[in-house]
Amino acid sequence: MALVLDVGLSREVALTSGGRDLDNYLFPLARRFGAGRFDAFFARKRHATHSTIAIGPAVVHGPGNAEQAEPLFSVRTSMSATSPAWKQTLHQACRAVRSEPIPGDALHLVLCFEVSGRRNWSTLWKPAIDALGPLLGMPDPSHPFRPLDDRVVDLALHRVVDDALGHDIVVTVWCSPA
């Protein structure tokens, strides 16, 4: 299954600042409906008078999608995703490919999590996004896990189940101006 959320915000509300991180809208829905039932979650914020949600079958698309482009990086981790070292590993992978944040105000972010079917993959979203400061920007470098993730106006989260991974997690990241 896939879940698609369009978050409608009034014209007076900035889309790329002031919070309103898309993963914070998706996580309660994943918890309510059961993240394990879904292989993809999508969210977009825009100026509109209403928000919408749709649930349907997940469909694998062919070439031509942004996700088919070369990822910025992919990293396999063996440590606990709740540990600071897990975030640090993703953060360092970001810094290895980007010395400056992605330009522009609004960003399109795609994360693919390869995990065992036993893992609650929705609990990986926030720590993974929090580790992307080198891509998203960090207002205070002394707090590297507080990125400017409100710049993300289009978010795609994908899950690939591979039970051979055991407790390991593979995170692949794409990010571009929206």
Side-chain angles (χ1 to χ4, degrees):
M1 300 288 289
L3 184 143
V4 178
L5 175 66
D6 277 327
V7 179
L9 300 170
S10 70
R11 293 248 175 244
E12 298 79 37
V13 174
L15 295 179
T16 59
S17 63
R20 292 173 287 284
D21 305 346
L22 289 171
D23 59 302
N24 292 339
Y25 289 100
L26 286 175
F27 185 74
L29 296 172
R31 190 167 50 197
R32 172 72 172 108
F33 293 119
R37 298 174 58 201
F38 294 88
D39 288 318
F41 284 84
F42 303 93
R44 177 178 69 150
K45 53 185 170 176
R46 58 192 172 88
H47 290 123
T49 58
H50 63 281
S51 298
T52 61
I53 185 172
I55 297 174
V59 178
V60 177
H61 292 282
N65 293 324
E67 291 84 357
Q68 298 298 319
E70 191 70 28
L72 291 175
F73 70 90
S74 186
V75 63
R76 182 174 178 156
T77 62
S78 297
M79 67 219 45
S80 169
T82 60
S83 72
W86 190 81
K87 279 195 212 181
Q88 189 63 36
T89 298
L90 269 65
H91 187 82
Q92 289 171 341
C94 285
R95 287 188 14 205
V97 298
R98 292 286 309 183
S99 59
E100 296 291 325
I102 303 286
D105 289 332
L107 298 177
H108 172 65
L109 178 63
V110 178
L111 299 175
C112 180
F113 297 91
E114 294 177 54
V115 295
S116 159
R118 297 181 309 270
R119 183 175 290 279
N120 179 357
W121 72 292
S122 66
T123 62
L124 303 173
W125 303 347
K126 184 154 190 59
I129 293 170
D130 285 350
L132 301 180
L135 300 177
L136 306 177
M138 297 175 288
D140 182 354
S142 68
H143 294 99
F145 302 128
R146 293 184 194 161
L148 297 173
D149 50 349
D150 49 4
R151 293 179 59 205
V152 177
V153 298
D154 191 1
L155 177 64
L157 303 166
H158 301 275
R159 175 181 69 160
V160 174
V161 175
D162 181 354
D163 288 329
L165 286 169
H167 294 291
D168 287 6
I169 303 164
V170 178
V171 181
T172 304
V173 177
W174 295 260
C175 189
S176 60

